[in-house]
Amino acid sequence: MTDLEKIKRLESEIGHTLKRKGSDLDSISDLYYSIDADKTVKSIRLRNISLQTFPQSLLEFNELEDLKLSQNKLKEVPPEISKMKSLKYLSLARNDLRSFPSQLLDLNGLCFLNLAGCGIKSIPGDINWLKELDELLLFENGIEHIPTTLFECNNLKKLMLSYNKIADFPNIEGSLNRIEVLSLGNNKIESIPENINELKSIRWLGLNKNKIRELPRSILDLRLNIKWKYESRFTGRGIILENNPLINPSPEIIKQGNKAIREYFEQREKSGTEQLNEAKLILLGDGRSGKTSFANRLLNKELPKEKDRTQGVDIIIGEYAFPIANGSSFKINIWDFAGQDKYKKLHQLFYTESSLYVMVAESGNTTVDYDDWFQTAELFGEGSPLVLILNEFKSGIGTGSFDINYWKKQFPELLKEVFTINLGTKQNFSTAEEYIRFIAQTLPHTKYPFPSNWAAIRRVLHERREEQYIPLKEYFEICKQNDLPQPESALILSSVLHKIGDCLHYQKNELLKQFIILKNEWATEAVYKILDDEVVAKSKCGFFDQSDVKRIWNDGEYEHMRPQLLELMKQFKLAYQLPSREEYVTPPLLPPAPPENYSWPDVPSLELYIDYDFLPKVLLTQFIVTRHADISKGRKLVWRHGVILEWKNEALGEVSKTRLEGRDAFYIRTQGRNRKEMLTIILKTFRELHAEYKGIKYREKVPCVCEGCKTGANKQHYFDFETLNRRLEKGRFEVECDNSLEKLNVLELLENTFVFEQYKEGSSLQLKGSVERESAPEIRILKIFLASSNELEKERIQIEQALNRKNKLLRKKGIVIELLIWEDGKIIGQSLRSQDDYNVEIRQCDFFTMLFYSKVGKYSFEEFTLAKTLFEEKGMPRLRIFQKDVDLPKNLQKRDADSRYDFLEKLKELEHFPVPFQNTDQLVNELEDAIDKLLADEAFVKQLKCE
């Protein structure tokens, strides 16, 4: 029975028709097979078709190399699978296997095995039988232990074990030092071994979401970038540590990168360490709730009078201290904010993680928006605790309408304790104070060991806070006097102190880099003076110029720092400069509605919504300032709740605050030739801003474009962007509108809305890293001549498809590929032509390419010689020969073998060596890489003819 007959039998057994890969196959199909020149089936995919039993027909394919059965409902695989000795690639991911199938251990030719999401609890000790294993994917299981025998698989390069229950880092011995990619995120690992530096080949190590508290210094020997944030999964090199309870070094130091980490270890070895014994207390609550009274009670001060009401931010440093068990003292720095609504947007800039939040509310006041305050603390505190103080203005009110049990269920990780006190009589105050002292000492950062010389420099800076700021040169001198003489080391320390909120030092801004701002509230009070100014707020509606700056910052303490303070407002994303360079805009003071004379053009637009569980009040201001260079009408078509962006003659965009399905949201729409590019950049900007808010919860809503939604025949449906991307990861390429029940192609929906990196099967779409927007350029034609034979038809078709996709991107850069394919004596898509005609085409092409495998045509060397001669004479065409480098067909005729041998020998004599490829993907990548290199050569591009 032939393999094609076996395919028919398999189709009958599973009740589905398989497509042949390389013919009419969609590259994302769930059902396909591939067949080689000998009519032997080499790969079969039966994905996501609800198979409950292993198809017996599969066992008949004796030379099958690649089998994908992921996303089915298989509970077991038959013992006979062990006889499929030709298998090299096997995927059984996301089935219901529950245990590692022992019969797979007999497949000693396997180099790739995917058993992710199968409910497997353990890895068999005999795993070392799989000597050829190169990649092993076991993520999303329940594995607790890694047998040492796994690392006797000498070829193992990639091991994916994230989302399991592993408590111990794998023993670094055997072939583990050959591992290049090791994913151990989302486990229960508590420590990293000292000999981590023996992972000589590692290029990517995922350790995020574990229980690691300390890093060994030896981890720096791996020479990989140590990162806190979890970025793209397997691109580049790095070590990911996000969401670990690290104290040595602290997350703030890790976020500064390898230089800061190395400096930390060097300084603590040189000077020893000491704990900070210091915490930040942030007071929250409405105006007149008693926040300042509570702070004064802690500080043994008199209660404030009406004239003492807090404006903006008042920071009291180092005045509240108490003794602790080891004989030293613990200090709490109190940040007391104004409670008026107009200040709330700005306060969020100073709410930080690793702080103790204390909310003071008037007991019995039913207008208090507890949900808003709690969500604020949860979002900005990133795991910080909150204590609620219910202030009894009249005795006997108690907790009033506040339901303690309800709110603790709503915010179980945030709300630690509730106290009812009377700040006037101090009733129950001492109990609340004792608890605040206790919980402040539990904050993670209070346990961070700080190098002693760093701590000494920090103390000097604190002692000089009343100077407001010092020049960088003076800071360097302080560091020298405290055993930190190198300027680079001093800058690393200032970046750490900036990160933990001790000072302000923006090193990437040349103007601000020259000063260390020692008193943060001095800078913020200067900002408040602009925002509180009656002329700027009411007469000018958010616009101000240099005359306003001089009038408002007229005190001696600001006079010589006006340029720096303006830059600081930009860094806070509270203001931007107009092109005139003399006028500024602060979005929080702009009019709330768009200009009356503006209307959105009535032409087709792309749309997107982003809705939030809790929308940070300052987020739109930050977006406006970030993208201010794109604002229409000279950066003036903007209002408090929205903005119009414009790329002249290319794209128009609107971002405005709205409501969607009961939640705060942004409505985004773009139109014009570059509307996809603009929408992509807007979304990327929001994502970058979201990254500053660790706990933010939002959804990107893509409108459905089915006929029912477009025509209004049914209610508009919205797809969640993340859910669509997960569908692509799991191989589900269709999605159904909830309202019309029409089906849509996920890739098509997303790629018609945004600009992405090239899609890779089995992965999610990634927004384009660098989105280019250009005016329509003149079009230059890159003529590529591709010579091949029909035995490489599959490769030729894939090249056509790949270059068609590439053309869509290149056209925007002014390049179009014109592909002419010569296959077995004729040009594909045209009538039969003579060899002379063919030679004419070679003379006119810019890039001559040839594919060969088991045989070479009688004119091939003549054609190559002509192209090479032309190149040597005129520099065109460029040449590239590709050789399929796999085993030759067993039934290869002698004359074909001789033609191949002779051709290779002639190429060797000319010192022209073909580029080998093993599969179609490799060929396409090599060809595209060659094209990219050519197009990066300006001299080459100038030689291309224009359209």
Side-chain angles (χ1 to χ4, degrees):
M1 182 184 297
T2 67
D3 275 9
L4 288 177
E5 289 172 331
K6 293 175 185 177
I7 288 292
K8 293 297 182 185
R9 178 181 290 187
L10 175 60
E11 290 174 336
S12 176
E13 182 179 358
I14 65 174
H16 292 276
T17 301
L18 276 67
K19 294 182 178 180
R20 178 179 169 183
K21 189 175 182 180
S23 54
D24 59 343
L25 175 69
D26 184 335
S27 64
I28 57 177
S29 174
D30 284 331
L31 294 159
Y32 72 70
Y33 70 95
S34 69
I35 194 165
D36 66 10
D38 294 332
K39 305 297 183 184
T40 301
V41 171
K42 292 295 185 180
S43 66
I44 295 176
R45 176 192 282 172
L46 307 176
R47 183 176 63 183
N48 192 28
I49 56 172
S50 300
L51 285 177
Q52 297 192 9
T53 58
F54 190 95
Q56 292 298 304
S57 306
L58 286 173
L59 301 171
E60 299 175 1
F61 292 92
N62 301 324
E63 297 186 50
L64 190 67
E65 295 180 354
D66 185 355
L67 177 60
K68 294 181 175 67
L69 296 171
S70 56
Q71 294 171 240
N72 283 294
K73 299 179 180 180
L74 300 178
K75 294 186 177 180
E76 59 182 5
V77 293
E80 292 84 358
I81 196 174
S82 61
K83 297 178 182 179
M84 301 180 74
K85 298 296 186 181
S86 295
L87 275 180
K88 295 180 181 178
Y89 307 94
L90 177 61
S91 177
L92 293 165
R94 295 189 172 86
N95 278 283
D96 197 21
L97 298 177
R98 300 294 174 184
S99 63
F100 194 110
S102 59
Q103 49 270 53
L104 301 184
L105 300 175
D106 292 325
L107 300 174
N108 48 25
L110 273 184
C111 57
F112 173 90
L113 179 58
N114 186 352
L115 292 170
C118 289
I120 294 170
K121 299 293 188 294
S122 62
I123 303 172
D126 297 335
I127 188 73
N128 56 345
W129 290 5
L130 300 177
K131 297 295 185 184
E132 300 301 316
L133 199 60
D134 180 79
E135 293 188 31
L136 179 59
L137 280 59
L138 287 167
F139 53 89
E140 295 178 16
N141 282 294
I143 297 167
E144 298 181 359
H145 174 68
I146 306 172
T148 56
T149 51
L150 174 60
F151 306 114
E152 294 172 18
C153 300
N154 294 327
N155 290 318
L156 194 61
K157 301 288 194 305
K158 186 174 181 178
L159 179 59
M160 313 301 291
L161 287 165
S162 56
Y163 292 93
N164 278 289
K165 299 178 181 179
I166 299 166
D168 297 316
F169 196 94
N171 189 17
I172 301 176
E173 61 180 28
S175 66
L176 185 58
N177 59 13
R178 296 187 183 94
I179 289 282
E180 296 178 4
V181 174
L182 178 58
S183 176
L184 293 166
N186 289 271
N187 277 289
K188 299 180 179 180
I189 296 170
E190 295 184 355
S191 63
I192 301 173
E194 286 289 339
N195 63 340
I196 185 75
N197 54 357
E198 293 180 19
L199 295 177
K200 303 295 185 184
S201 303
I202 198 76
R203 59 181 174 82
W204 198 95
L205 177 59
L207 292 169
N208 50 299
K209 293 187 179 179
N210 276 284
K211 298 182 178 180
I212 300 165
R213 294 175 62 82
E214 296 193 23
L215 293 186
R217 182 171 181 173
S218 55
I219 199 169
L220 290 164
D221 297 337
L222 295 176
R223 297 187 178 181
L224 295 174
N225 287 331
I226 299 173
K227 304 176 183 179
W228 183 254
K229 266 293 185 192
Y230 188 80
E231 297 169 354
S232 298
R233 284 188 191 169
F234 310 119
T235 57
R237 299 160 57 85
I239 300 170
I240 310 301
L241 292 167
E242 184 179 14
N243 285 343
N244 278 286
L246 278 156
I247 62 171
N248 183 23
S250 70
E252 287 78 10
I253 293 172
I254 292 170
K255 289 172 184 177
Q256 305 302 307
N258 287 37
K259 279 188 177 181
I261 298 170
R262 190 179 300 280
E263 184 71 21
Y264 167 81
F265 281 119
E266 288 178 357
Q267 297 306 325
R268 55 170 292 181
E269 284 179 12
K270 182 172 73 173
S271 66
T273 64
E274 58 184 80
Q275 287 186 318
L276 294 182
N277 288 337
E278 198 170 304
K280 179 178 178 180
L281 187 154
I282 296 175
L283 284 168
L284 302 178
D286 298 331
R288 301 179 184 273
S289 63
K291 297 190 304 299
T292 304
S293 296
F294 182 77
N296 283 7
R297 285 300 189 198
L298 287 174
L299 297 165
N300 289 317
K301 291 184 177 181
E302 291 185 6
L303 296 184
K305 305 292 191 294
E306 177 62 27
K307 64 181 178 65
D308 301 321
R309 290 192 68 202
T310 308
Q311 299 292 317
V313 57
D314 181 25
I315 311 172
I316 304 167
I317 299 289
E319 293 192 35
Y320 183 62
F322 54 90
I324 54 178
N326 60 6
S328 59
S329 64
F330 193 96
K331 185 166 61 178
I332 294 181
N333 306 316
I334 302 171
W335 291 55
D336 182 13
F337 293 94
Q340 296 94 319
D341 284 342
K342 68 176 182 177
Y343 292 115
K344 284 184 181 178
K345 281 186 179 181
L346 311 176
H347 296 164
Q348 293 175 4
L349 298 169
F350 314 111
Y351 296 159
T352 56
E353 58 187 295
S354 298
S355 301
L356 170 58
Y357 286 79
V358 176
M359 178 182 172
V360 181
E362 181 185 350
S363 182
N365 185 345
T366 57
T367 65
V368 177
D369 191 347
Y370 291 104
D371 187 65
D372 183 80
W373 285 113
F374 290 167
Q375 291 210 55
T376 297
E378 188 171 62
L379 175 62
F380 294 93
E382 300 183 11
S384 298
L386 181 141
V387 176
L388 175 63
I389 303 296
L390 293 174
N391 184 15
E392 281 190 310
F393 281 79
K394 294 181 181 178
S395 298
I397 297 176
T399 59
S401 59
F402 184 82
D403 188 334
I404 296 177
N405 291 331
Y406 169 80
W407 287 109
K408 281 195 171 184
K409 286 179 180 177
Q410 295 297 310
F411 297 90
E413 301 299 321
L414 173 73
L415 184 56
K416 298 302 181 184
E417 196 57 76
V418 180
F419 294 95
T420 302
I421 67 176
N422 187 311
L423 288 170
T425 64
K426 296 184 68 172
Q427 182 181 353
N428 295 331
F429 175 77
S430 59
T431 306
E433 180 181 23
E434 184 179 347
Y435 183 79
I436 284 170
R437 289 182 175 186
F438 160 74
I439 200 166
Q441 295 176 71
T442 68
L443 294 174
H445 76 276
T446 63
K447 299 177 177 60
Y448 297 161
F450 221 56
S452 294
N453 57 346
W454 283 15
I457 294 166
R458 183 173 178 267
R459 281 192 291 271
V460 173
L461 298 181
H462 277 212
E463 289 166 1
R464 297 182 61 173
R465 289 184 71 256
E466 294 309 313
E467 297 178 40
Q468 282 98 25
Y469 57 88
I470 57 174
L472 183 61
K473 184 178 179 181
E474 196 167 331
Y475 167 71
F476 284 155
E477 189 60 35
I478 293 171
C479 291
K480 282 183 183 178
Q481 294 168 5
N482 288 275
D483 201 21
L484 196 68
Q486 298 299 325
E488 185 178 9
S489 299
L491 289 173
I492 288 172
L493 174 58
S494 73
S495 70
V496 172
L497 296 177
H498 174 99
K499 186 69 180 177
I500 64 177
D502 277 339
C503 65
L504 295 175
H505 191 206
Y506 292 94
Q507 296 187 21
K508 293 182 180 180
N509 184 293
E510 281 303 314
L511 190 60
L512 293 177
K513 183 180 179 179
Q514 303 309 314
F515 295 89
I516 311 288
I517 296 177
L518 304 177
K519 195 173 183 180
N520 293 6
E521 68 272 30
W522 171 81
T524 56
E525 283 168 2
V527 173
Y528 278 107
K529 284 181 178 292
I530 295 284
L531 300 174
D532 267 345
D533 184 73
E534 289 286 321
V535 174
V536 175
K538 294 182 178 179
S539 302
K540 294 190 172 184
C541 296
F543 288 74
F544 63 98
D545 55 27
Q546 287 293 338
S547 66
D548 296 304
V549 169
K550 291 178 182 178
R551 174 177 54 81
I552 297 167
W553 291 334
N554 60 353
D555 292 347
E557 59 182 309
Y558 300 128
E559 184 179 0
H560 301 296
M561 289 289 284
R562 289 171 187 153
Q564 287 79 9
L565 290 171
L566 280 170
E567 282 299 313
L568 204 60
M569 288 192 73
K570 297 177 190 176
Q571 291 292 328
F572 287 165
K573 294 188 174 70
L574 287 175
Y576 65 86
Q577 197 165 2
L578 294 177
S580 66
R581 313 296 296 173
E582 294 295 328
E583 193 171 13
Y584 301 82
V585 180
T586 178
L589 300 182
L590 291 170
E596 292 183 3
N597 60 353
Y598 177 77
S599 61
W600 181 255
D602 187 19
V603 297
S605 304
L606 295 177
E607 295 180 319
L608 174 71
Y609 284 88
I610 307 177
D611 72 31
Y612 299 81
D613 285 359
F614 179 71
L615 176 60
K617 292 179 172 62
V618 76
L619 186 56
L620 183 56
T621 293
Q622 292 176 320
F623 174 85
I624 291 170
V625 174
T626 302
R627 296 244 57 93
H628 73 271
D630 294 328
I631 296 176
S632 185
K633 306 297 182 185
R635 304 180 188 176
K636 293 184 178 181
L637 190 45
V638 57
W639 58 102
R640 194 181 309 167
H641 302 305
V643 61
I644 301 297
L645 307 180
E646 183 178 9
W647 298 342
K648 193 170 183 180
N649 300 323
E650 296 176 30
L652 192 69
E654 178 184 348
V655 179
S656 57
K657 187 178 176 184
T658 186
R659 299 275 293 177
L660 180 69
E661 298 174 346
R663 289 185 288 264
D664 284 331
F666 293 123
Y667 172 52
I668 305 162
R669 53 183 172 178
T670 61
Q671 58 181 232
R673 182 168 52 82
N674 278 332
R675 58 189 178 277
K676 283 202 308 182
E677 286 77 4
M678 178 174 276
L679 189 60
T680 302
I681 283 180
I682 290 172
L683 179 55
K684 281 167 60 70
T685 303
F686 272 113
R687 287 184 177 181
E688 290 164 4
L689 293 171
H690 292 158
E692 299 175 14
Y693 303 93
K694 183 178 178 182
I696 195 167
K697 296 176 183 176
Y698 63 93
R699 288 149 298 276
E700 298 158 354
K701 297 286 191 177
V702 181
C704 176
V705 293
C706 74
E707 199 61 31
C709 288
K710 284 195 298 185
T711 61
N714 52 255
K715 182 181 177 182
Q716 177 68 56
H717 177 62
Y718 299 93
F719 296 109
D720 179 68
F721 186 107
E722 184 180 353
T723 302
L724 292 177
N725 237 343
R726 284 204 306 270
R727 294 186 75 86
L728 293 178
E729 282 184 325
K730 296 181 183 296
R732 299 180 180 180
F733 300 98
E734 285 191 334
V735 67
E736 192 176 81
C737 173
D738 283 0
N739 297 328
S740 70
L741 305 185
E742 291 182 50
K743 289 186 177 180
L744 293 91
N745 181 286
V746 176
L747 265 178
E748 192 174 297
L749 172 64
L750 290 175
E751 289 185 333
N752 286 339
T753 309
F754 305 99
V755 182
F756 296 100
E757 300 288 355
Q758 185 173 357
Y759 173 67
K760 294 181 180 179
E761 187 180 341
S763 64
S764 59
L765 283 168
Q766 302 294 327
L767 292 177
K768 188 78 173 173
S770 177
V771 181
E772 298 180 7
R773 42 170 282 238
E774 298 179 1
S775 301
E778 64 176 2
I779 303 298
R780 292 183 179 270
I781 307 299
L782 171 59
K783 290 188 176 183
I784 299 179
F785 206 106
L786 175 64
S788 68
S789 61
N790 62 4
E791 68 175 345
L792 296 175
E793 178 188 10
K794 177 181 71 172
E795 286 81 355
R796 185 259 296 169
I797 291 172
Q798 290 292 324
I799 286 174
E800 285 185 274
Q801 293 174 347
L803 295 188
N804 283 338
R805 290 194 298 269
K806 194 173 188 67
N807 256 339
K808 295 178 181 178
L809 300 174
L810 290 178
R811 179 171 283 277
K812 296 173 184 176
K813 300 179 180 181
I815 305 289
V816 170
I817 294 173
E818 187 178 284
L819 183 63
L820 188 68
I821 300 177
W822 182 271
E823 187 173 286
D824 290 343
K826 65 176 182 178
I827 295 177
I828 299 299
Q830 299 185 28
S831 59
L832 189 68
R833 298 175 69 179
S834 69
Q835 185 64 35
D836 288 340
D837 290 332
Y838 177 63
N839 291 340
V840 170
E841 298 291 352
I842 292 176
R843 293 179 184 277
Q844 294 178 351
C845 76
D846 306 301
F847 186 27
F848 175 87
T849 62
M850 180 182 291
L851 315 180
F852 73 95
Y853 171 34
S854 66
K855 57 186 177 182
V856 179
K858 63 179 180 179
Y859 294 112
S860 294
F861 186 70
E862 174 191 329
E863 297 150 2
F864 169 77
T865 304
L866 172 60
K868 188 172 187 299
T869 301
L870 290 168
F871 170 73
E872 290 170 349
E873 292 176 354
K874 304 188 302 180
M876 298 284 263
R878 304 298 173 88
L879 296 88
R880 189 64 60 95
I881 310 298
F882 298 95
Q883 175 190 1
K884 187 168 184 178
D885 188 20
V886 298
D887 293 341
L888 295 173
K890 295 177 181 178
N891 59 352
L892 182 64
Q893 296 184 19
K894 184 177 183 303
R895 67 172 182 273
D896 291 336
D898 290 344
S899 70
R900 176 181 177 277
Y901 176 81
D902 291 344
F903 184 65
L904 284 169
E905 286 299 306
K906 289 175 180 177
L907 290 179
K908 188 175 180 181
E909 289 174 12
L910 294 172
E911 296 186 346
H912 189 99
F913 302 100
V915 178
F917 68 94
Q918 282 78 41
N919 55 59
T920 309
D921 288 342
Q922 186 182 0
L923 169 63
V924 169
N925 288 338
E926 292 282 0
L927 179 58
E928 289 198 24
D929 185 55
I931 293 171
D932 290 341
K933 288 178 180 176
L934 287 176
L935 296 179
D937 182 348
E938 291 184 10
F940 174 82
V941 173
K942 286 180 180 178
Q943 294 182 69
L944 301 180
K945 293 180 180 178
C946 292
E947 191 175 43

